[in-house]
Protein backbone atom coordinates (compact mmCIF):
# COMPACT_ATOMS: atom_id res chain seq x y z
CA UNK A 1 0.00 0.00 0.00
CA UNK A 2 1.38 3.39 -1.01
CA UNK A 3 1.66 5.93 1.79
CA UNK A 4 -0.14 9.27 1.34
CA UNK A 5 1.91 12.18 2.61
CA UNK A 6 1.42 15.92 2.98
CA UNK A 7 4.62 17.67 4.04
CA UNK A 8 4.92 21.35 4.88
CA UNK A 9 8.26 22.92 4.00
CA UNK A 10 8.53 26.04 6.14
CA UNK A 11 11.81 27.13 4.48
CA UNK A 12 13.42 30.12 6.26
CA UNK A 13 10.25 31.41 7.90
CA UNK A 14 8.88 31.84 11.44
CA UNK A 15 10.42 32.68 14.79
CA UNK A 16 10.48 30.24 17.69
CA UNK A 17 7.14 31.37 19.15
CA UNK A 18 5.48 31.43 15.75
CA UNK A 19 6.78 27.97 14.91
CA UNK A 20 5.38 26.52 18.14
CA UNK A 21 1.97 28.08 17.64
CA UNK A 22 1.82 26.92 14.03
CA UNK A 23 2.60 23.34 14.92
CA UNK A 24 0.18 23.20 17.83
CA UNK A 25 -2.58 24.69 15.70
CA UNK A 26 -1.92 22.06 13.04
CA UNK A 27 -1.85 19.32 15.67
CA UNK A 28 -5.22 20.42 17.11
CA UNK A 29 -6.84 20.74 13.71
CA UNK A 30 -5.63 17.30 12.71
CA UNK A 31 -7.05 15.79 15.90
CA UNK A 32 -10.41 17.51 15.48
CA UNK A 33 -10.91 17.38 11.75
CA UNK A 34 -8.84 14.73 10.07
CA UNK A 35 -9.49 11.06 10.14
CA UNK A 36 -7.80 8.62 7.85
CA UNK A 37 -4.42 7.58 6.83
CA UNK A 38 -2.49 10.64 5.66
CA UNK A 39 1.01 11.03 7.08
CA UNK A 40 1.45 14.71 7.89
CA UNK A 41 4.97 16.11 8.11
CA UNK A 42 6.25 19.50 9.25
CA UNK A 43 9.69 20.75 8.26
CA UNK A 44 10.74 23.59 10.56
CA UNK A 45 14.12 25.35 10.43
CA UNK A 46 16.93 23.70 12.46
CA UNK A 47 16.67 25.80 15.66
CA UNK A 48 13.06 24.71 16.19
CA UNK A 49 13.40 21.00 15.49
CA UNK A 50 13.97 20.00 19.09
CA UNK A 51 10.96 21.89 20.44
CA UNK A 52 8.67 20.83 17.61
CA UNK A 53 10.00 17.27 17.99
CA UNK A 54 8.62 17.15 21.54
CA UNK A 55 5.17 17.56 20.04
CA UNK A 56 5.61 15.13 17.20
CA UNK A 57 7.29 12.35 19.20
CA UNK A 58 4.82 9.56 19.88
CA UNK A 59 2.27 11.43 17.75
CA UNK A 60 1.18 9.05 15.05
CA UNK A 61 -0.42 11.76 12.90
CA UNK A 62 2.29 14.41 12.86
CA UNK A 63 5.88 13.73 11.87
CA UNK A 64 9.09 15.74 11.86
CA UNK A 65 11.40 16.50 8.95
CA UNK A 66 14.54 18.62 8.57
CA UNK A 67 15.24 20.84 5.56
CA UNK A 68 18.82 19.70 5.10
CA UNK A 69 21.46 17.28 6.38
CA UNK A 70 25.23 17.13 6.06
CA UNK A 71 26.73 14.42 3.89
CA UNK A 72 29.44 14.00 6.56
CA UNK A 73 29.08 11.90 9.68
CA UNK A 74 30.69 14.31 12.17
CA UNK A 75 33.74 16.51 12.65
CA UNK A 76 35.13 19.86 11.55
CA UNK A 77 32.31 21.10 9.31
CA UNK A 78 31.37 24.46 10.76
CA UNK A 79 27.71 25.30 10.34
CA UNK A 80 26.66 21.82 9.27
CA UNK A 81 24.17 19.49 10.97
CA UNK A 82 24.63 15.72 10.91
CA UNK A 83 22.05 12.97 10.48
CA UNK A 84 22.86 11.64 13.96
CA UNK A 85 22.09 15.06 15.45
CA UNK A 86 18.78 15.15 13.60
CA UNK A 87 17.91 11.64 14.72
CA UNK A 88 18.67 12.58 18.34
CA UNK A 89 15.95 15.25 18.30
CA UNK A 90 13.33 13.00 16.72
CA UNK A 91 13.68 13.83 13.01
CA UNK A 92 12.18 11.11 10.81
CA UNK A 93 12.46 12.62 7.32
CA UNK A 94 14.81 15.03 5.57
CA UNK A 95 14.52 17.04 2.36
CA UNK A 96 17.34 16.32 -0.07
CA UNK A 97 17.84 18.04 -3.40
CA UNK A 98 15.36 20.88 -3.05
CA UNK A 99 15.87 23.19 -6.03
CA UNK A 100 16.70 26.08 -3.71
CA UNK A 101 19.60 24.10 -2.26
CA UNK A 102 20.73 22.95 -5.69
CA UNK A 103 20.66 26.54 -6.91
CA UNK A 104 21.87 28.66 -3.97
CA UNK A 105 24.16 26.11 -2.33
CA UNK A 106 25.42 24.38 -5.46
CA UNK A 107 24.50 20.92 -4.26
CA UNK A 108 25.33 18.48 -7.03
CA UNK A 109 24.01 14.99 -7.75
CA UNK A 110 26.89 13.23 -5.97
CA UNK A 111 26.46 15.36 -2.84
CA UNK A 112 22.74 14.60 -2.83
CA UNK A 113 23.48 10.90 -3.05
CA UNK A 114 25.86 11.20 -0.07
CA UNK A 115 23.27 13.15 1.91
CA UNK A 116 20.70 10.42 1.32
CA UNK A 117 23.22 7.78 2.42
CA UNK A 118 24.05 9.76 5.58
CA UNK A 119 20.35 10.11 6.44
CA UNK A 120 19.54 6.47 5.70
CA UNK A 121 22.43 5.30 7.89
CA UNK A 122 20.64 6.98 10.80
CA UNK A 123 17.22 5.63 9.89
CA UNK A 124 16.02 8.97 8.50
CA UNK A 125 13.93 8.84 5.32
CA UNK A 126 15.04 11.16 2.52
CA UNK A 127 12.42 13.15 0.60
CA UNK A 128 14.30 13.50 -2.66
CA UNK A 129 13.23 16.55 -4.68
CA UNK A 130 13.51 16.77 -8.44
CA UNK A 131 12.02 19.01 -11.11
CA UNK A 132 12.86 20.95 -14.22
CA UNK A 133 13.41 24.67 -14.82
CA UNK A 134 11.12 26.52 -17.23
CA UNK A 135 13.59 26.41 -20.17
CA UNK A 136 13.58 22.61 -20.08
CA UNK A 137 9.78 22.45 -19.98
CA UNK A 138 9.50 24.95 -22.82
CA UNK A 139 11.99 22.95 -24.89
CA UNK A 140 10.01 19.78 -24.17
CA UNK A 141 12.98 18.20 -22.36
CA UNK A 142 11.37 17.96 -18.92
CA UNK A 143 11.10 14.17 -18.86
CA UNK A 144 14.74 13.69 -19.80
CA UNK A 145 15.82 16.33 -17.30
CA UNK A 146 14.01 14.73 -14.36
CA UNK A 147 15.00 11.24 -15.51
CA UNK A 148 18.63 12.32 -15.40
CA UNK A 149 18.25 13.78 -11.89
CA UNK A 150 16.94 10.42 -10.69
CA UNK A 151 19.65 8.52 -12.49
CA UNK A 152 22.41 10.74 -11.10
CA UNK A 153 21.42 10.45 -7.43
CA UNK A 154 18.75 7.84 -6.75
CA UNK A 155 19.88 4.99 -8.99
CA UNK A 156 22.97 4.36 -6.83
CA UNK A 157 20.89 3.37 -3.81
CA UNK A 158 20.28 -0.29 -2.97
CA UNK A 159 16.76 -1.75 -3.11
CA UNK A 160 16.57 -1.67 0.69
CA UNK A 161 17.65 1.96 0.79
CA UNK A 162 15.24 2.93 -1.96
CA UNK A 163 12.33 1.46 0.04
CA UNK A 164 12.85 4.28 2.56
CA UNK A 165 12.82 7.10 0.01
CA UNK A 166 10.00 9.51 -0.81
CA UNK A 167 10.18 11.44 -4.09
CA UNK A 168 8.89 14.98 -4.56
CA UNK A 169 8.37 16.30 -8.08
CA UNK A 170 8.67 20.07 -7.93
CA UNK A 171 8.83 21.87 -11.28
CA UNK A 172 10.99 24.91 -10.54
CA UNK A 173 8.71 27.22 -12.51
CA UNK A 174 5.87 26.37 -10.13
CA UNK A 175 7.72 26.93 -6.84
CA UNK A 176 6.56 30.07 -5.05
CA UNK A 177 5.30 31.52 -8.33
CA UNK A 178 1.57 30.89 -7.92
CA UNK A 179 1.77 28.98 -11.18
CA UNK A 180 0.90 25.35 -10.52
CA UNK A 181 1.46 22.43 -12.85
CA UNK A 182 -1.91 21.19 -14.04
CA UNK A 183 -3.00 17.92 -12.51
CA UNK A 184 -2.49 16.41 -15.96
CA UNK A 185 1.12 17.65 -16.13
CA UNK A 186 1.75 16.36 -12.61
CA UNK A 187 0.23 12.95 -13.35
CA UNK A 188 2.25 12.56 -16.55
CA UNK A 189 5.51 13.32 -14.78
CA UNK A 190 4.72 11.19 -11.74
CA UNK A 191 3.91 8.22 -13.96
CA UNK A 192 7.17 8.80 -15.83
CA UNK A 193 9.13 8.97 -12.56
CA UNK A 194 7.53 5.75 -11.35
CA UNK A 195 8.41 4.05 -14.59
CA UNK A 196 12.04 5.17 -14.34
CA UNK A 197 12.16 3.92 -10.75
CA UNK A 198 10.82 0.53 -11.83
CA UNK A 199 13.82 0.22 -14.15
CA UNK A 200 16.28 1.05 -11.38
CA UNK A 201 14.65 -1.02 -8.62
CA UNK A 202 12.04 -3.72 -8.55
CA UNK A 203 8.62 -2.95 -9.94
CA UNK A 204 6.85 -3.47 -6.64
CA UNK A 205 9.15 -1.02 -4.84
CA UNK A 206 8.53 1.56 -7.56
CA UNK A 207 4.79 0.97 -7.31
CA UNK A 208 4.89 1.47 -3.56
CA UNK A 209 7.05 4.59 -3.64
CA UNK A 210 5.27 7.76 -2.51
CA UNK A 211 5.63 10.53 -5.09
CA UNK A 212 4.61 14.01 -3.93
CA UNK A 213 3.83 17.04 -6.04
CA UNK A 214 5.23 20.43 -5.00
CA UNK A 215 4.92 23.91 -6.49
CA UNK A 216 2.21 26.40 -5.49
CA UNK A 217 -0.09 23.68 -4.21
CA UNK A 218 -2.90 25.21 -2.14
CA UNK A 219 -6.33 24.36 -0.73
CA UNK A 220 -7.89 25.32 -4.07
CA UNK A 221 -5.93 22.95 -6.31
CA UNK A 222 -4.90 20.12 -3.96
CA UNK A 223 -8.04 18.03 -4.51
CA UNK A 224 -7.56 17.96 -8.25
CA UNK A 225 -3.82 17.17 -7.95
CA UNK A 226 -4.34 14.44 -5.33
CA UNK A 227 -7.08 12.81 -7.39
CA UNK A 228 -4.48 11.65 -9.91
CA UNK A 229 -3.38 8.07 -9.78
CA UNK A 230 0.33 8.66 -9.31
CA UNK A 231 0.13 11.78 -7.13
CA UNK A 232 0.43 10.51 -3.57
CA UNK A 233 0.39 13.85 -1.78
CA UNK A 234 2.18 17.16 -1.70
CA UNK A 235 5.25 19.05 -0.57
CA UNK A 236 3.81 22.40 0.39
CA UNK A 237 5.77 25.64 0.78
CA UNK A 238 3.85 28.92 1.14
CA UNK A 239 0.52 27.33 2.04
CA UNK A 240 2.11 25.31 4.86
CA UNK A 241 2.77 28.49 6.86
CA UNK A 242 -0.93 28.89 7.67
CA UNK A 243 -2.49 26.14 9.78
CA UNK A 244 -5.92 26.52 8.11
CA UNK A 245 -4.58 26.24 4.55
CA UNK A 246 -2.22 23.42 5.40
CA UNK A 247 -4.88 21.36 7.18
CA UNK A 248 -7.32 21.96 4.32
CA UNK A 249 -4.70 20.54 1.95
CA UNK A 250 -4.35 17.48 4.22
CA UNK A 251 -8.12 17.03 3.91
CA UNK A 252 -8.00 17.13 0.11
CA UNK A 253 -7.56 13.41 -0.56
P1 LIG B 1 5.55 26.51 -2.79
O1 LIG B 1 6.90 25.74 -2.44
O2 LIG B 1 4.41 25.62 -2.33
O3 LIG B 1 5.63 27.80 -2.01
O4 LIG B 1 5.53 26.73 -4.25
C1 LIG B 1 7.02 24.35 -2.60
C2 LIG B 1 8.42 23.91 -2.22
O5 LIG B 1 9.39 24.60 -2.60
O6 LIG B 1 8.61 22.87 -1.57
Amino acid sequence: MRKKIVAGNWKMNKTYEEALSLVSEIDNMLKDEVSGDVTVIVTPPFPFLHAVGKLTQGNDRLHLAAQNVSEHESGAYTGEVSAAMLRSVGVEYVLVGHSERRLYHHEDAQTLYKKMKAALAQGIKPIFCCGEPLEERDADRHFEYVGQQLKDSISYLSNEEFDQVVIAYEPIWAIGTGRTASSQQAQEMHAYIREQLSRMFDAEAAFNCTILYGGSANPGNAKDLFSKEDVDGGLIGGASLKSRDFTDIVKSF
Side-chain angles (χ1 to χ4, degrees):
M1 212 359 217
R2 216 181 279 164
K3 209 187 227 178
K4 293 177 194 155
I5 297 179
V6 174
N9 174 12
W10 297 1
K11 307 192 180 184
M12 199 174 73
N13 291 293
K14 305 285 179 193
T15 60
Y16 179 72
E17 298 296 335
E18 291 165 350
L20 287 189
S21 355
L22 176 59
V23 76
S24 49
E25 281 166 29
I26 294 170
D27 191 34
N28 289 332
M29 287 180 181
L30 290 178
K31 277 187 199 133
D32 295 346
E33 303 171 26
V34 185
S35 57
D37 53 356
V38 187
T39 298
V40 181
I41 300 175
V42 287
T43 312
F46 283 142
F48 315 144
L49 284 172
H50 182 240
V52 174
K54 287 193 188 283
L55 240 150
T56 57
Q57 259 165 44
N59 184 331
D60 54 356
R61 294 304 312 274
L62 197 55
H63 299 266
L64 186 64
Q67 296 178 19
N68 185 28
V69 63
S70 171
E71 66 269 39
H72 304 291
E73 215 179 291
S74 65
Y77 300 102
T78 303
E80 291 292 288
V81 175
S82 74
M85 293 172 188
L86 296 179
R87 181 76 260 172
S88 72
V89 293
V91 168
E92 297 164 81
Y93 296 84
V94 65
L95 302 182
V96 175
H98 192 283
S99 58
E100 288 149 18
R101 296 226 42 105
R102 293 179 192 254
L103 179 65
Y104 305 132
H105 302 277
H106 314 290
E107 292 184 0
D108 61 15
Q110 189 60 21
T111 306
L112 302 180
Y113 167 71
K114 288 185 191 157
K115 283 176 184 254
M116 284 191 284
K117 291 285 283 186
L120 288 162
Q122 291 296 326
I124 297 175
K125 299 175 174 66
I127 301 176
F128 179 80
C129 308
C130 55
E132 79 286 357
L134 188 59
E135 317 81 87
E136 299 295 327
R137 163 93 28 193
D138 286 345
D140 209 19
R141 286 195 302 257
H142 44 292
F143 291 117
E144 276 153 86
Y145 188 91
V146 170
Q148 195 64 44
Q149 285 182 320
L150 298 172
K151 207 166 169 188
D152 290 345
S153 301
I154 292 281
S155 69
Y156 298 102
L157 297 174
S158 68
N159 278 297
E160 294 68 37
E161 288 169 334
F162 171 67
D163 281 344
Q164 304 302 311
V165 173
V166 173
I167 305 282
Y169 168 57
E170 300 206 302
I172 297 172
W173 47 272
I175 296 179
T177 58
R179 185 179 160 188
T180 324
S182 67
S183 55
Q184 195 50 44
Q185 287 171 322
Q187 168 55 30
E188 255 173 32
M189 182 58 88
H190 284 222
Y192 172 81
I193 290 171
R194 203 178 297 288
E195 204 223 310
Q196 297 304 303
L197 295 172
S198 73
R199 292 179 192 188
M200 296 170 196
F201 306 98
D202 62 65
E204 199 189 331
F207 180 81
N208 287 328
C209 179
T210 298
I211 307 181
L212 309 178
Y213 168 78
S216 300
N218 60 47
N221 57 31
K223 214 176 191 67
D224 183 26
L225 287 160
F226 297 174
S227 71
K228 297 294 174 190
E229 194 184 334
D230 288 289
V231 179
D232 309 313
L235 178 56
I236 319 297
S240 74
L241 299 173
K242 292 193 184 119
S243 52
R244 181 73 275 154
D245 286 358
F246 185 62
T247 310
D248 283 348
I249 294 173
V250 175
K251 296 197 291 193
S252 299
F253 282 99

